[in-house]
Amino acid sequence: PSEFWSSLKSDNVLSGFISRMIVTETDVARPPRNDNKIVFDQTPPELQAWWKSIKNLANTLSGNLLGLAASPIRLPFSAKAEQYIHDFDDNIVTPIIEHGDKVKSVLYTRAFEHISKIASIVALSRSPFTKEISETDLQWAIDYVEYSIALICYYAETTLADSQDQSDHKEILELF
């Protein structure tokens, strides 16, 4: 993580650059190279059938890119998930944006965007034919996005520096 964070300045966080990202940590430097060179000369029929059904599903729902080559699947929230996201926004996001520190305010401004995308992925992973995002899908997404925000806040506080002096100071504090 030090290489990523040490290359950033506070403007990268406050400008909204970092808030467009979902950050996670891993103890693996990078995934191993995939040496599997098998190329299918024909798409398996099961995959073709699945893709056709998903494509047909996408055409029955609304989305902001309709009419383009790629028809996105846009999933609505279930009634319980809709209430849950409104409660999250009213009780967590709005107070942070209105009264929180600058870093958290910037990060939580994009929280709904990340949550809705991840909740869609979780819902479609559970069942590619689902028609809505459940409360469970939404909770998983909220937990993941809040983890990412906490991670960004931690590294912004402990590692991110605008000068070499500030960097040295934070490095010394990290030793204690």
Side-chain angles (χ1 to χ4, degrees):
S2 61
E3 292 174 15
F4 175 70
W5 292 107
S6 63
S7 66
L8 298 175
K9 306 291 181 226
S10 61
D11 284 349
N12 298 126
V13 175
L14 298 177
S15 71
F17 172 72
I18 295 294
S19 67
R20 288 173 172 78
M21 300 179 189
I22 297 173
V23 179
T24 192
E25 259 188 326
T26 178
D27 57 359
V28 178
R30 67 173 249 219
R33 185 179 70 223
N34 182 358
D35 289 328
N36 184 359
K37 304 233 187 292
I38 297 173
V39 176
F40 296 105
D41 57 354
Q42 188 173 22
T43 305
E46 302 85 19
L47 184 57
Q48 289 177 3
W50 178 82
W51 183 250
K52 185 176 181 182
S53 67
I54 293 299
K55 185 176 180 187
N56 292 338
L57 175 64
N59 291 332
T60 65
L61 300 172
S62 63
N64 61 353
L65 299 175
L66 288 177
L68 298 178
S71 297
I73 298 172
R74 184 173 175 163
L75 297 177
F77 292 115
S78 69
K80 285 184 177 182
E82 183 77 31
Q83 183 58 51
Y84 194 88
I85 195 67
H86 283 295
D87 291 346
F88 177 75
D89 187 61
D90 292 343
N91 299 318
I92 305 295
V93 177
T94 299
I96 287 173
I97 291 172
E98 291 177 356
H99 307 293
D101 64 44
K102 288 182 183 180
V103 172
K104 282 187 178 178
S105 295
V106 170
L107 297 172
Y108 272 95
T109 297
R110 288 205 178 260
F112 177 78
E113 177 184 335
H114 296 312
I115 289 166
S116 61
K117 288 176 185 176
I118 291 175
S120 295
I121 292 168
V122 172
L124 289 168
S125 296
R126 182 175 36 80
S127 169
F129 303 103
T130 190
K131 300 264 187 197
E132 66 182 12
I133 295 169
S134 73
E135 188 177 13
T136 303
D137 304 327
L138 182 64
Q139 181 60 58
W140 197 98
I142 288 171
D143 290 346
Y144 191 76
V145 169
E146 287 202 295
Y147 158 78
S148 177
I149 289 172
L151 194 63
I152 292 169
C153 289
Y154 170 77
Y155 281 111
E157 179 69 29
T158 62
T159 309
L160 196 119
D162 289 329
S163 68
Q164 187 59 49
D165 288 341
Q166 191 178 23
S167 178
D168 293 343
H169 177 76
K170 287 187 175 188
E171 194 173 312
I172 290 169
L173 287 176
E174 188 70 20
L175 297 173
F176 296 103

